[in-house]
Every structure is written in C-alpha cells, then in structure tokens.
Amino acid sequence: METPKKEIVLSGIRSTGNLHLGNYYGALRKFVSIQNDYDCNFFIADLHALTTNPDPTQLHASVKSVLAEYLAAGINPEKATIFIQSDIPEIPQMYLLLNMHVGIGELMRTASFKDKARKALGLKTPENDTDENFEHEIIGAETNKRVNAGLLTYPTLMAVDILIQKATKVPVGKDQLQHLELTRRFARRFNSFYGVDLFPEPTDFDFGGAPVKVPGLDGSGKMGKSEGNCLYLIDDPKVLRKKVMRATTDEGPQAPNSPMSEPVANLFTLLELTSTPDVVKHFRDAYADCSIRYGDLKKQLAEDIVAVTNPIRERINDILANEDYLRRVVRDGAERARARASETLSEMRQIMGIHSL
Ligand code: TYM
C-alpha cells in the first residue's frame, strides 16, 4: 500500500539579526516539534529582509547566523528542507505574476505596512487612525524619506513563498496572521479568476492554544528587533540576567487579587513560556495575596530563560564554525525547494498564458 503523502508545512524567518525569544516561541520551537510528522520546509527570508534596506554585509552575516540558529534549535536537515529564499529564482518570478492580482488598496491597509511605513517616515500613529488619513500621510508625506514599493508588496512575496510550495500549514506567531489571511484571499482570487484549482488555501498551524505573542521586558506589547527589547538566543547568561533584572514592573499589588499592570502581566507570560506550572502557580498565588517580591520573580525567570537558551547558544557557536556543513545544508535544501517551485511556476505561467511560442 502506498504511504499517504505528508501535509506540506512552510515557514520562514527574516534575516534581520539574531533570533530572539519571540522568534523562538512564535516560530522556531514549533518548527522543531512538527518536523517528524509533516513535509516541512523552513527558510530564511532574506528577500523580505531587503524591505528595510539593511547593510549588505550585515544582511549576509545574518543569513548565516539564522541558519546556524535553526540548526542549533534542533531543526534537522535530514527531516526538514532548509533553504535560503534568494536561492530560489522562481520566487521573484512568481512574485511578479501574482502582483498582477493584488490590489494596492488592500496592501496599504495591512497593519504591518502601516506600522513599517510610518516608522520609515518617522511618523507616529495618530490617536484616531483611519485608512484615509494614512493614505494622506504616506502619499502626501512632506519628507525626503521614502516608503519603498517592496514594503508595500511584502504580503505578495510572503504569499508566493507559501503558494509556490503549495503549503497548507504555516506555523507563525500572532503578528503574521493577517498576512496569512491575505495569502488565502490571493489563492482564492487566482483560482477563481482563471477557473482553476491550482493553489490550496493555507491556514495557521493549530497547536491547540492561543496564537503566541511574546512580550518585551520594557512593558511594551511585543518583543521585536525594532523595539530594542529583545532577549536573544545567543545572549550570554550574564547579559540575559541583567536584561531580566532590569525589566519594568510597578509598585506591587496593593490589595488581594488586584488586576495586573501590563509590564507585570508580561513577566508572567514569559514565565508561563519558560517555567513549570508549579512555579507559575507559586508566583501567581504570591501576587494574589500580595506577598510577591518582583526581584524573586525576575531571578526565577532569568534562570528559566537561561536554561532554555544556553544549550542552544553553545550549539550556535559550534555550528557557525562549520562553514562546509552550512553550505551543504542550504545547497541540498535549495535543490529540493526549487523542484516544487519550478513545477508550480510553470503551471502558473501556462494558466496565465505566458509560455513560449
Ligand atoms: P519575522 O522575521 O518578522 O518573524 C519570524 C517569526 O517569528 C514570529 N515572531 C513572534 N512570535 C511571537 N511573539 C513575538 N514577539 C514575535 N516576534 C516574531 C513571527 O510571527 C514569525 O512567525 N513575514 C515573516 C517571514 C516570512 C514567512 C513567509 C513566514 C516570509 N515569508 C512565509 C511564513 C511563511 C516574518 O514576519 O518574519
């Protein structure tokens, strides 16, 4: 009897620097946990990294470090296909074709675009944010700074990464769900415009819990590189302890069972990710009866984080030293990823009427 085909999973991380705990819990750890059971494809999104115009030397170094971090966290190249986005020339080709079916309006309304465009122009989000005032801000911006077209079409490129492999499951953190929604919309639109059934509609990978959003330690909503509030997998234990001990808190609960302020709730979110349920319960009880000492909570949290990151950090340094191995992994990965990508691209070209005479 033929063994049933495994479902295709695909996800990527941009090469914009070292990976942090947000990337780890939002993406990387999930990648590792499913690699035995699915046809897994994990890549380094260096073309997406170009949207913020990085320094070329740093971009190149980042591709290598993210690759080492993938491997150190436990992604096994014998089980999963690991590749670099720019090694697949079919991706930019399909990006051009798919863009013909994507509206600039829907791209401009994407939350991540609004965010990044404002950042690029040095603007703050107004209190009463509307799509109209946003368009005015961007198109009529009185500044010599620019919002590049690559940033606008970021979701097209992400949809291409997914659709070119015909992936149906995409493990990502909460911040990427809107891009996934757009990918489904583009797939549906293409299929229905040409009356074909080329693209399956991908969904988030359902791990049974709520989508993960790892908070920062500065009381802000999200851990992110541009937020400057990251705990990196490569951070030395000393550095990690220092960062955790400096985390923002408040004056402590003033009455039993009082609601938690955002910075303190964030510490608990991190504790829930890195610690055991009994430790979490101990500190929750202490918060509820006002006996909590934030210093103790931070010390515990720092040790639990170090226990997660330290073995990974040690492996990262070993793997980075083995250039031949790194090259072999991505060469093999690109070969496998290109096989499926070129098949999808030629189907798409045929459907759209782009083929040689
Ligand atoms: P990037 O590099 O911004 O993020 C990579 C992954 O890390 C997750 N993540 C978080 N999860 C929880 N809490 C956080 N604080 C946090 N910060 C980051 C992100 O949700 C993401 O899963 N556009 C993608 C890269 C990409 C991609 C794709 C992903 C390009 N093409 C195709 C899936 C499929 C991104 O944002 O990467």
Side-chain angles (χ1 to χ4, degrees), residues 6-41:
K6 287 181 177 173
E7 216 175 334
I8 301 174
V9 168
L10 175 127
S11 194
I13 299 183
R14 282 175 303 147
S15 44
T16 47
N18 288 115
L19 301 189
H20 51 75
L21 279 193
N23 299 132
Y24 183 68
Y25 285 105
L28 199 46
R29 190 175 69 147
K30 300 178 186 172
F31 299 175
V32 175
S33 74
I34 55 179
Q35 61 182 341
N36 290 331
D37 305 318
Y38 293 85
D39 174 345
C40 284
N41 301 267

PDB file of all heavy atoms in Angstrom, residues 6-41:
ATOM      1  N   LYS A   6       2.617  13.277   3.134  1.00  0.00           N
ATOM      2  CA  LYS A   6       2.539  14.143   4.307  1.00  0.00           C
ATOM      3  C   LYS A   6       2.078  15.534   3.888  1.00  0.00           C
ATOM      4  O   LYS A   6       2.394  15.992   2.781  1.00  0.00           O
ATOM      5  CB  LYS A   6       3.924  14.257   4.942  1.00  0.00           C
ATOM      6  CG  LYS A   6       4.368  12.996   5.673  1.00  0.00           C
ATOM      7  CD  LYS A   6       5.733  13.241   6.277  1.00  0.00           C
ATOM      8  CE  LYS A   6       6.196  12.059   7.085  1.00  0.00           C
ATOM      9  NZ  LYS A   6       7.579  12.210   7.535  1.00  0.00           N
ATOM     10  N   GLU A   7       1.360  16.188   4.798  1.00  0.00           N
ATOM     11  CA  GLU A   7       0.907  17.546   4.526  1.00  0.00           C
ATOM     12  C   GLU A   7       2.118  18.502   4.440  1.00  0.00           C
ATOM     13  O   GLU A   7       3.082  18.329   5.193  1.00  0.00           O
ATOM     14  CB  GLU A   7      -0.010  17.991   5.667  1.00  0.00           C
ATOM     15  CG  GLU A   7      -1.141  18.850   5.194  1.00  0.00           C
ATOM     16  CD  GLU A   7      -2.115  19.170   6.328  1.00  0.00           C
ATOM     17  OE1 GLU A   7      -2.202  18.389   7.295  1.00  0.00           O
ATOM     18  OE2 GLU A   7      -2.757  20.205   6.226  1.00  0.00           O
ATOM     19  N   ILE A   8       2.034  19.496   3.542  1.00  0.00           N
ATOM     20  CA  ILE A   8       3.186  20.397   3.360  1.00  0.00           C
ATOM     21  C   ILE A   8       3.097  21.588   4.318  1.00  0.00           C
ATOM     22  O   ILE A   8       2.109  22.324   4.335  1.00  0.00           O
ATOM     23  CB  ILE A   8       3.267  20.902   1.904  1.00  0.00           C
ATOM     24  CG1 ILE A   8       3.392  19.696   0.951  1.00  0.00           C
ATOM     25  CG2 ILE A   8       4.451  21.853   1.730  1.00  0.00           C
ATOM     26  CD1 ILE A   8       3.330  20.070  -0.524  1.00  0.00           C
ATOM     27  N   VAL A   9       4.156  21.740   5.106  1.00  0.00           N
ATOM     28  CA  VAL A   9       4.270  22.848   6.056  1.00  0.00           C
ATOM     29  C   VAL A   9       5.373  23.770   5.572  1.00  0.00           C
ATOM     30  O   VAL A   9       6.413  23.292   5.101  1.00  0.00           O
ATOM     31  CB  VAL A   9       4.657  22.308   7.457  1.00  0.00           C
ATOM     32  CG1 VAL A   9       5.060  23.441   8.394  1.00  0.00           C
ATOM     33  CG2 VAL A   9       3.528  21.499   8.065  1.00  0.00           C
ATOM     34  N   LEU A  10       5.147  25.076   5.672  1.00  0.00           N
ATOM     35  CA  LEU A  10       6.215  26.007   5.291  1.00  0.00           C
ATOM     36  C   LEU A  10       6.212  27.219   6.218  1.00  0.00           C
ATOM     37  O   LEU A  10       5.151  27.705   6.603  1.00  0.00           O
ATOM     38  CB  LEU A  10       6.018  26.484   3.842  1.00  0.00           C
ATOM     39  CG  LEU A  10       7.029  27.559   3.427  1.00  0.00           C
ATOM     40  CD1 LEU A  10       7.746  27.173   2.142  1.00  0.00           C
ATOM     41  CD2 LEU A  10       6.357  28.905   3.277  1.00  0.00           C
ATOM     42  N   SER A  11       7.413  27.650   6.591  1.00  0.00           N
ATOM     43  CA  SER A  11       7.505  28.901   7.331  1.00  0.00           C
ATOM     44  C   SER A  11       8.914  29.479   7.191  1.00  0.00           C
ATOM     45  O   SER A  11       9.845  28.763   6.817  1.00  0.00           O
ATOM     46  CB  SER A  11       7.154  28.716   8.804  1.00  0.00           C
ATOM     47  OG  SER A  11       6.945  29.987   9.392  1.00  0.00           O
ATOM     48  N   GLY A  12       9.042  30.759   7.491  1.00  0.00           N
ATOM     49  CA  GLY A  12      10.348  31.403   7.376  1.00  0.00           C
ATOM     50  C   GLY A  12      10.529  32.495   8.411  1.00  0.00           C
ATOM     51  O   GLY A  12       9.574  32.934   9.052  1.00  0.00           O
ATOM     52  N   ILE A  13      11.783  32.902   8.558  1.00  0.00           N
ATOM     53  CA  ILE A  13      12.125  33.994   9.461  1.00  0.00           C
ATOM     54  C   ILE A  13      13.059  34.931   8.688  1.00  0.00           C
ATOM     55  O   ILE A  13      13.936  34.465   7.958  1.00  0.00           O
ATOM     56  CB  ILE A  13      12.817  33.466  10.745  1.00  0.00           C
ATOM     57  CG1 ILE A  13      11.865  32.514  11.501  1.00  0.00           C
ATOM     58  CG2 ILE A  13      13.259  34.611  11.642  1.00  0.00           C
ATOM     59  CD1 ILE A  13      12.415  31.982  12.828  1.00  0.00           C
ATOM     60  N   ARG A  14      12.859  36.236   8.852  1.00  0.00           N
ATOM     61  CA  ARG A  14      13.719  37.178   8.121  1.00  0.00           C
ATOM     62  C   ARG A  14      15.126  37.200   8.707  1.00  0.00           C
ATOM     63  O   ARG A  14      15.300  37.041   9.923  1.00  0.00           O
ATOM     64  CB  ARG A  14      13.150  38.597   8.225  1.00  0.00           C
ATOM     65  CG  ARG A  14      11.981  38.832   7.288  1.00  0.00           C
ATOM     66  CD  ARG A  14      11.389  40.196   7.526  1.00  0.00           C
ATOM     67  NE  ARG A  14      10.983  40.333   8.920  1.00  0.00           N
ATOM     68  CZ  ARG A  14      11.026  41.464   9.612  1.00  0.00           C
ATOM     69  NH1 ARG A  14      11.471  42.572   9.061  1.00  0.00           N
ATOM     70  NH2 ARG A  14      10.629  41.507  10.869  1.00  0.00           N
ATOM     71  N   SER A  15      16.099  37.438   7.827  1.00  0.00           N
ATOM     72  CA  SER A  15      17.492  37.532   8.297  1.00  0.00           C
ATOM     73  C   SER A  15      17.792  38.985   8.614  1.00  0.00           C
ATOM     74  O   SER A  15      18.437  39.691   7.837  1.00  0.00           O
ATOM     75  CB  SER A  15      18.436  37.010   7.220  1.00  0.00           C
ATOM     76  OG  SER A  15      18.052  37.512   5.947  1.00  0.00           O
ATOM     77  N   THR A  16      17.270  39.418   9.763  1.00  0.00           N
ATOM     78  CA  THR A  16      17.482  40.822  10.155  1.00  0.00           C
ATOM     79  C   THR A  16      18.267  40.918  11.459  1.00  0.00           C
ATOM     80  O   THR A  16      18.149  41.902  12.181  1.00  0.00           O
ATOM     81  CB  THR A  16      16.129  41.545  10.316  1.00  0.00           C
ATOM     82  OG1 THR A  16      15.277  40.697  11.099  1.00  0.00           O
ATOM     83  CG2 THR A  16      15.469  41.839   8.998  1.00  0.00           C
ATOM     84  N   GLY A  17      19.029  39.877  11.772  1.00  0.00           N
ATOM     85  CA  GLY A  17      19.800  39.891  13.024  1.00  0.00           C
ATOM     86  C   GLY A  17      19.595  38.572  13.741  1.00  0.00           C
ATOM     87  O   GLY A  17      18.982  37.649  13.191  1.00  0.00           O
ATOM     88  N   ASN A  18      20.066  38.510  14.974  1.00  0.00           N
ATOM     89  CA  ASN A  18      19.933  37.258  15.729  1.00  0.00           C
ATOM     90  C   ASN A  18      18.495  36.999  16.135  1.00  0.00           C
ATOM     91  O   ASN A  18      17.689  37.919  16.241  1.00  0.00           O
ATOM     92  CB  ASN A  18      20.812  37.325  16.976  1.00  0.00           C
ATOM     93  CG  ASN A  18      22.288  37.219  16.620  1.00  0.00           C
ATOM     94  OD1 ASN A  18      23.056  38.150  16.819  1.00  0.00           O
ATOM     95  ND2 ASN A  18      22.668  36.090  16.074  1.00  0.00           N
ATOM     96  N   LEU A  19      18.178  35.736  16.357  1.00  0.00           N
ATOM     97  CA  LEU A  19      16.807  35.378  16.741  1.00  0.00           C
ATOM     98  C   LEU A  19      16.602  35.582  18.236  1.00  0.00           C
ATOM     99  O   LEU A  19      17.498  35.364  19.039  1.00  0.00           O
ATOM    100  CB  LEU A  19      16.506  33.935  16.341  1.00  0.00           C
ATOM    101  CG  LEU A  19      16.653  33.628  14.853  1.00  0.00           C
ATOM    102  CD1 LEU A  19      16.111  32.237  14.517  1.00  0.00           C
ATOM    103  CD2 LEU A  19      15.941  34.680  13.991  1.00  0.00           C
ATOM    104  N   HIS A  20      15.382  36.002  18.592  1.00  0.00           N
ATOM    105  CA  HIS A  20      15.057  36.295  19.986  1.00  0.00           C
ATOM    106  C   HIS A  20      13.981  35.343  20.482  1.00  0.00           C
ATOM    107  O   HIS A  20      13.508  34.475  19.728  1.00  0.00           O
ATOM    108  CB  HIS A  20      14.638  37.760  20.134  1.00  0.00           C
ATOM    109  CG  HIS A  20      13.567  38.190  19.158  1.00  0.00           C
ATOM    110  ND1 HIS A  20      12.241  37.824  19.292  1.00  0.00           N
ATOM    111  CD2 HIS A  20      13.642  38.935  18.030  1.00  0.00           C
ATOM    112  CE1 HIS A  20      11.539  38.344  18.298  1.00  0.00           C
ATOM    113  NE2 HIS A  20      12.373  39.018  17.506  1.00  0.00           N
ATOM    114  N   LEU A  21      13.608  35.515  21.740  1.00  0.00           N
ATOM    115  CA  LEU A  21      12.624  34.579  22.324  1.00  0.00           C
ATOM    116  C   LEU A  21      11.274  34.635  21.620  1.00  0.00           C
ATOM    117  O   LEU A  21      10.540  33.656  21.608  1.00  0.00           O
ATOM    118  CB  LEU A  21      12.421  34.874  23.814  1.00  0.00           C
ATOM    119  CG  LEU A  21      13.449  34.327  24.797  1.00  0.00           C
ATOM    120  CD1 LEU A  21      12.908  34.451  26.214  1.00  0.00           C
ATOM    121  CD2 LEU A  21      13.843  32.887  24.527  1.00  0.00           C
ATOM    122  N   GLY A  22      10.937  35.781  21.027  1.00  0.00           N
ATOM    123  CA  GLY A  22       9.692  35.884  20.253  1.00  0.00           C
ATOM    124  C   GLY A  22       9.740  34.952  19.049  1.00  0.00           C
ATOM    125  O   GLY A  22       8.806  34.193  18.795  1.00  0.00           O
ATOM    126  N   ASN A  23      10.854  34.987  18.321  1.00  0.00           N
ATOM    127  CA  ASN A  23      11.014  34.080  17.174  1.00  0.00           C
ATOM    128  C   ASN A  23      11.002  32.626  17.653  1.00  0.00           C
ATOM    129  O   ASN A  23      10.464  31.740  16.980  1.00  0.00           O
ATOM    130  CB  ASN A  23      12.356  34.308  16.453  1.00  0.00           C
ATOM    131  CG  ASN A  23      12.508  35.707  15.899  1.00  0.00           C
ATOM    132  OD1 ASN A  23      13.547  36.343  16.104  1.00  0.00           O
ATOM    133  ND2 ASN A  23      11.507  36.199  15.198  1.00  0.00           N
ATOM    134  N   TYR A  24      11.617  32.399  18.805  1.00  0.00           N
ATOM    135  CA  TYR A  24      11.735  31.020  19.290  1.00  0.00           C
ATOM    136  C   TYR A  24      10.360  30.444  19.649  1.00  0.00           C
ATOM    137  O   TYR A  24       9.978  29.386  19.155  1.00  0.00           O
ATOM    138  CB  TYR A  24      12.680  30.971  20.502  1.00  0.00           C
ATOM    139  CG  TYR A  24      12.891  29.568  21.009  1.00  0.00           C
ATOM    140  CD1 TYR A  24      13.590  28.637  20.235  1.00  0.00           C
ATOM    141  CD2 TYR A  24      12.383  29.152  22.248  1.00  0.00           C
ATOM    142  CE1 TYR A  24      13.768  27.327  20.675  1.00  0.00           C
ATOM    143  CE2 TYR A  24      12.567  27.849  22.697  1.00  0.00           C
ATOM    144  CZ  TYR A  24      13.254  26.948  21.907  1.00  0.00           C
ATOM    145  OH  TYR A  24      13.412  25.655  22.343  1.00  0.00           O
ATOM    146  N   TYR A  25       9.604  31.162  20.479  1.00  0.00           N
ATOM    147  CA  TYR A  25       8.307  30.613  20.897  1.00  0.00           C
ATOM    148  C   TYR A  25       7.224  30.793  19.831  1.00  0.00           C
ATOM    149  O   TYR A  25       6.313  29.986  19.733  1.00  0.00           O
ATOM    150  CB  TYR A  25       7.867  31.212  22.241  1.00  0.00           C
ATOM    151  CG  TYR A  25       8.663  30.623  23.378  1.00  0.00           C
ATOM    152  CD1 TYR A  25       9.677  31.345  24.005  1.00  0.00           C
ATOM    153  CD2 TYR A  25       8.441  29.313  23.791  1.00  0.00           C
ATOM    154  CE1 TYR A  25      10.430  30.794  25.025  1.00  0.00           C
ATOM    155  CE2 TYR A  25       9.188  28.754  24.821  1.00  0.00           C
ATOM    156  CZ  TYR A  25      10.174  29.497  25.424  1.00  0.00           C
ATOM    157  OH  TYR A  25      10.922  28.926  26.427  1.00  0.00           O
ATOM    158  N   GLY A  26       7.338  31.870  19.044  1.00  0.00           N
ATOM    159  CA  GLY A  26       6.341  32.091  17.993  1.00  0.00           C
ATOM    160  C   GLY A  26       6.535  31.169  16.800  1.00  0.00           C
ATOM    161  O   GLY A  26       5.580  30.817  16.115  1.00  0.00           O
ATOM    162  N   ALA A  27       7.783  30.770  16.552  1.00  0.00           N
ATOM    163  CA  ALA A  27       8.049  30.016  15.326  1.00  0.00           C
ATOM    164  C   ALA A  27       8.990  28.822  15.534  1.00  0.00           C
ATOM    165  O   ALA A  27       8.587  27.665  15.413  1.00  0.00           O
ATOM    166  CB  ALA A  27       8.625  30.971  14.281  1.00  0.00           C
ATOM    167  N   LEU A  28      10.217  29.100  15.864  1.00  0.00           N
ATOM    168  CA  LEU A  28      11.268  28.081  15.809  1.00  0.00           C
ATOM    169  C   LEU A  28      10.975  26.811  16.614  1.00  0.00           C
ATOM    170  O   LEU A  28      11.178  25.688  16.141  1.00  0.00           O
ATOM    171  CB  LEU A  28      12.568  28.745  16.305  1.00  0.00           C
ATOM    172  CG  LEU A  28      13.886  28.102  15.974  1.00  0.00           C
ATOM    173  CD1 LEU A  28      13.987  27.677  14.535  1.00  0.00           C
ATOM    174  CD2 LEU A  28      15.027  29.076  16.314  1.00  0.00           C
ATOM    175  N   ARG A  29      10.496  26.991  17.825  1.00  0.00           N
ATOM    176  CA  ARG A  29      10.240  25.812  18.660  1.00  0.00           C
ATOM    177  C   ARG A  29       9.138  24.945  18.046  1.00  0.00           C
ATOM    178  O   ARG A  29       9.160  23.724  18.123  1.00  0.00           O
ATOM    179  CB  ARG A  29       9.845  26.248  20.069  1.00  0.00           C
ATOM    180  CG  ARG A  29       9.815  25.063  21.021  1.00  0.00           C
ATOM    181  CD  ARG A  29       9.546  25.515  22.405  1.00  0.00           C
ATOM    182  NE  ARG A  29       8.185  26.007  22.533  1.00  0.00           N
ATOM    183  CZ  ARG A  29       7.465  25.886  23.640  1.00  0.00           C
ATOM    184  NH1 ARG A  29       7.980  25.313  24.701  1.00  0.00           N
ATOM    185  NH2 ARG A  29       6.244  26.363  23.700  1.00  0.00           N
ATOM    186  N   LYS A  30       8.179  25.625  17.407  1.00  0.00           N
ATOM    187  CA  LYS A  30       7.098  24.883  16.751  1.00  0.00           C
ATOM    188  C   LYS A  30       7.649  24.109  15.557  1.00  0.00           C
ATOM    189  O   LYS A  30       7.254  22.975  15.302  1.00  0.00           O
ATOM    190  CB  LYS A  30       6.017  25.830  16.262  1.00  0.00           C
ATOM    191  CG  LYS A  30       5.351  26.657  17.343  1.00  0.00           C
ATOM    192  CD  LYS A  30       4.362  27.567  16.650  1.00  0.00           C
ATOM    193  CE  LYS A  30       3.710  28.559  17.568  1.00  0.00           C
ATOM    194  NZ  LYS A  30       2.919  29.530  16.806  1.00  0.00           N
ATOM    195  N   PHE A  31       8.568  24.747  14.822  1.00  0.00           N
ATOM    196  CA  PHE A  31       9.148  24.064  13.648  1.00  0.00           C
ATOM    197  C   PHE A  31       9.730  22.712  14.090  1.00  0.00           C
ATOM    198  O   PHE A  31       9.514  21.687  13.458  1.00  0.00           O
ATOM    199  CB  PHE A  31      10.294  24.865  13.010  1.00  0.00           C
ATOM    200  CG  PHE A  31       9.961  26.233  12.479  1.00  0.00           C
ATOM    201  CD1 PHE A  31      10.967  27.061  11.984  1.00  0.00           C
ATOM    202  CD2 PHE A  31       8.661  26.710  12.445  1.00  0.00           C
ATOM    203  CE1 PHE A  31      10.696  28.322  11.483  1.00  0.00           C
ATOM    204  CE2 PHE A  31       8.369  27.973  11.936  1.00  0.00           C
ATOM    205  CZ  PHE A  31       9.395  28.777  11.473  1.00  0.00           C
ATOM    206  N   VAL A  32      10.507  22.777  15.180  1.00  0.00           N
ATOM    207  CA  VAL A  32      11.204  21.571  15.641  1.00  0.00           C
ATOM    208  C   VAL A  32      10.192  20.493  16.040  1.00  0.00           C
ATOM    209  O   VAL A  32      10.371  19.310  15.746  1.00  0.00           O
ATOM    210  CB  VAL A  32      12.141  21.924  16.826  1.00  0.00           C
ATOM    211  CG1 VAL A  32      12.789  20.679  17.401  1.00  0.00           C
ATOM    212  CG2 VAL A  32      13.201  22.917  16.379  1.00  0.00           C
ATOM    213  N   SER A  33       9.105  20.922  16.665  1.00  0.00           N
ATOM    214  CA  SER A  33       8.163  19.935  17.216  1.00  0.00           C
ATOM    215  C   SER A  33       7.365  19.195  16.141  1.00  0.00           C
ATOM    216  O   SER A  33       6.784  18.151  16.423  1.00  0.00           O
ATOM    217  CB  SER A  33       7.216  20.610  18.207  1.00  0.00           C
ATOM    218  OG  SER A  33       6.266  21.381  17.492  1.00  0.00           O
ATOM    219  N   ILE A  34       7.322  19.704  14.914  1.00  0.00           N
ATOM    220  CA  ILE A  34       6.481  19.050  13.900  1.00  0.00           C
ATOM    221  C   ILE A  34       7.278  18.408  12.772  1.00  0.00           C
ATOM    222  O   ILE A  34       6.701  17.817  11.859  1.00  0.00           O
ATOM    223  CB  ILE A  34       5.466  20.054  13.291  1.00  0.00           C
ATOM    224  CG1 ILE A  34       6.190  21.274  12.732  1.00  0.00           C
ATOM    225  CG2 ILE A  34       4.435  20.468  14.319  1.00  0.00           C
ATOM    226  CD1 ILE A  34       5.266  22.296  12.091  1.00  0.00           C
ATOM    227  N   GLN A  35       8.609  18.515  12.844  1.00  0.00           N
ATOM    228  CA  GLN A  35       9.398  18.085  11.678  1.00  0.00           C
ATOM    229  C   GLN A  35       9.330  16.582  11.384  1.00  0.00           C
ATOM    230  O   GLN A  35       9.583  16.170  10.253  1.00  0.00           O
ATOM    231  CB  GLN A  35      10.844  18.554  11.803  1.00  0.00           C
ATOM    232  CG  GLN A  35      11.574  17.999  13.001  1.00  0.00           C
ATOM    233  CD  GLN A  35      13.000  18.544  13.105  1.00  0.00           C
ATOM    234  OE1 GLN A  35      13.550  19.035  12.138  1.00  0.00           O
ATOM    235  NE2 GLN A  35      13.587  18.456  14.282  1.00  0.00           N
ATOM    236  N   ASN A  36       8.968  15.777  12.379  1.00  0.00           N
ATOM    237  CA  ASN A  36       8.879  14.327  12.117  1.00  0.00           C
ATOM    238  C   ASN A  36       7.609  13.953  11.369  1.00  0.00           C
ATOM    239  O   ASN A  36       7.559  12.931  10.707  1.00  0.00           O
ATOM    240  CB  ASN A  36       8.869  13.545  13.432  1.00  0.00           C
ATOM    241  CG  ASN A  36      10.211  13.603  14.108  1.00  0.00           C
ATOM    242  OD1 ASN A  36      11.240  13.716  13.437  1.00  0.00           O
ATOM    243  ND2 ASN A  36      10.206  13.557  15.431  1.00  0.00           N
ATOM    244  N   ASP A  37       6.580  14.753  11.535  1.00  0.00           N
ATOM    245  CA  ASP A  37       5.263  14.312  11.076  1.00  0.00           C
ATOM    246  C   ASP A  37       4.755  14.984   9.812  1.00  0.00           C
ATOM    247  O   ASP A  37       3.713  14.615   9.295  1.00  0.00           O
ATOM    248  CB  ASP A  37       4.235  14.538  12.207  1.00  0.00           C
ATOM    249  CG  ASP A  37       4.693  13.844  13.477  1.00  0.00           C
ATOM    250  OD1 ASP A  37       5.177  12.712  13.358  1.00  0.00           O
ATOM    251  OD2 ASP A  37       4.603  14.456  14.563  1.00  0.00           O
ATOM    252  N   TYR A  38       5.462  16.005   9.339  1.00  0.00           N
ATOM    253  CA  TYR A  38       4.981  16.735   8.157  1.00  0.00           C
ATOM    254  C   TYR A  38       6.111  16.874   7.142  1.00  0.00           C
ATOM    255  O   TYR A  38       7.275  16.656   7.471  1.00  0.00           O
ATOM    256  CB  TYR A  38       4.485  18.130   8.575  1.00  0.00           C
ATOM    257  CG  TYR A  38       3.246  18.058   9.432  1.00  0.00           C
ATOM    258  CD1 TYR A  38       3.350  17.874  10.803  1.00  0.00           C
ATOM    259  CD2 TYR A  38       1.978  18.144   8.863  1.00  0.00           C
ATOM    260  CE1 TYR A  38       2.210  17.772  11.602  1.00  0.00           C
ATOM    261  CE2 TYR A  38       0.835  18.046   9.647  1.00  0.00           C
ATOM    262  CZ  TYR A  38       0.954  17.862  11.010  1.00  0.00           C
ATOM    263  OH  TYR A  38      -0.163  17.766  11.782  1.00  0.00           O
ATOM    264  N   ASP A  39       5.733  17.254   5.922  1.00  0.00           N
ATOM    265  CA  ASP A  39       6.723  17.586   4.903  1.00  0.00           C
ATOM    266  C   ASP A  39       7.117  19.043   5.171  1.00  0.00           C
ATOM    267  O   ASP A  39       6.464  19.968   4.694  1.00  0.00           O
ATOM    268  CB  ASP A  39       6.052  17.404   3.526  1.00  0.00           C
ATOM    269  CG  ASP A  39       6.929  17.850   2.374  1.00  0.00           C
ATOM    270  OD1 ASP A  39       7.936  18.548   2.615  1.00  0.00           O
ATOM    271  OD2 ASP A  39       6.594  17.517   1.230  1.00  0.00           O
ATOM    272  N   CYS A  40       8.139  19.224   5.985  1.00  0.00           N
ATOM    273  CA  CYS A  40       8.461  20.564   6.497  1.00  0.00           C
ATOM    274  C   CYS A  40       9.469  21.311   5.631  1.00  0.00           C
ATOM    275  O   CYS A  40      10.470  20.730   5.186  1.00  0.00           O
ATOM    276  CB  CYS A  40       9.014  20.463   7.910  1.00  0.00           C
ATOM    277  SG  CYS A  40       7.726  20.161   9.116  1.00  0.00           S
ATOM    278  N   ASN A  41       9.211  22.591   5.443  1.00  0.00           N
ATOM    279  CA  ASN A  41      10.079  23.460   4.648  1.00  0.00           C
ATOM    280  C   ASN A  41      10.282  24.752   5.428  1.00  0.00           C
ATOM    281  O   ASN A  41       9.326  25.503   5.635  1.00  0.00           O
ATOM    282  CB  ASN A  41       9.412  23.791   3.307  1.00  0.00           C
ATOM    283  CG  ASN A  41       9.126  22.535   2.517  1.00  0.00           C
ATOM    284  OD1 ASN A  41       9.926  22.123   1.701  1.00  0.00           O
ATOM    285  ND2 ASN A  41       7.990  21.894   2.777  1.00  0.00           N
TER     286      ASN A  41
END
